Each structure stands twice: as structure tokens, then as C-alpha cells.
Amino acid sequence: MSLTSALAAAALLTLAAAPAAQAGTVPAAGGSVTVDPAGRIAPDGTVTLTGTYRCDAASGPVYVTSSVSRDAGSVRHGIGGTPAVCDGLDHPWANSGRPSGGSAPAGPASGPARVEATLMELRPLGGLPLPAFHARQTRTVTLVRG
């Protein structure tokens, strides 16, 4: 499976399995993830989000995934995924992507947006990789052009 396919699958599993993980049905080792207070929108509409993460151990591949939305109740747009190293140290992450539909959620101007970052492991269980969530942060960031 290519890295792009794996990240796409991870993003879909993240969105689909988040309620189950929050209920504690897929336990994972601890960790942390942060989202920086500002994100960038490139002239072509590509959004770049950044932050830090830390995790100690994993039995499968781990990724930092992120999504952005304009309002709390609006559609979330996946913004990339970054492979994570679980060595107990703090690491930076940066995800870039164009929101579905090809336009930035900020429209023609900069402004506030809701960002969610998730530190998620694809843990093998019976031959099927299931998501195990190490950490999540949701915060309002300012998207700026440039």
C-alpha cells in the first residue's frame, strides 16, 4: 500500500472511528499532540497546519492527521497526514493539503478556523489495521494568506 493510500485510509478511519475511540473501545498508549495558533493558505489554496507531537510506543504505524473547518458544525476537510516516530521525544509535524472542492475554507480572506489534530496508530488486529488514538487536540487557529 502506498503512503498516500495509507494516509487516505487513516484519515477515513479517523473520521469514522473517532466516536468509538472516544468511548475507549480501541485503547492506545499515551501521547500528546498540539496545534499551532496559526496556519497558512498558499495562493493555490493549499492549507498548511503545524504543531508538535509525542508518543512512547506503538505496535503499528502512527500518523499525525489533521482537519480544518470553518465552523464547529460545518464539514471538516482533511489536511494531510505525517508519519510519526514514537520514541518518547517531542517532534514537530506539518501537514499540507487542499480542502475538498479545491478551495481554501477561508475563502478569499484570512480568518479563524477550527483545526483538529489526531495522533493515530494503525494497530494490526486480526489482519486488519484498526485505528488506536494516542491523542487529539481541537482548537481555533487563524489562517493567514502567504
Side-chain angles (χ1 to χ4, degrees):
M1 180 183 290
S2 72
L3 179 59
T4 302
S5 297
L7 292 176
L12 288 174
L13 288 172
T14 298
L15 294 176
Q22 291 170 357
T25 59
V26 185
S32 65
V33 65
T34 67
V35 176
D36 290 338
R40 286 189 341 264
I41 305 171
D44 70 355
T46 299
V47 174
T48 299
L49 305 170
T50 59
T52 62
Y53 73 90
R54 179 190 52 76
C55 55
D56 294 323
S59 60
V62 178
Y63 299 93
V64 179
T65 63
S66 58
S67 63
V68 64
S69 64
R70 194 35 100 178
D71 301 308
S74 71
V75 174
R76 292 189 308 183
H77 300 273
I79 305 297
T82 301
V85 177
C86 290
D87 59 5
L89 301 175
D90 288 332
H91 296 277
W93 64 267
N95 291 342
S96 295
R98 292 182 72 176
S100 57
S103 63
S110 303
R114 299 281 300 163
V115 170
E116 179 175 290
T118 305
L119 185 60
M120 189 235 2
E121 176 182 352
L122 292 177
R123 186 175 289 168
L125 183 63
L128 180 65
L130 295 178
F133 297 85
H134 290 254
R136 181 179 69 146
Q137 183 182 38
T138 302
R139 75 176 295 176
T140 300
V141 303
T142 301
L143 296 178
V144 295
R145 293 220 169 252

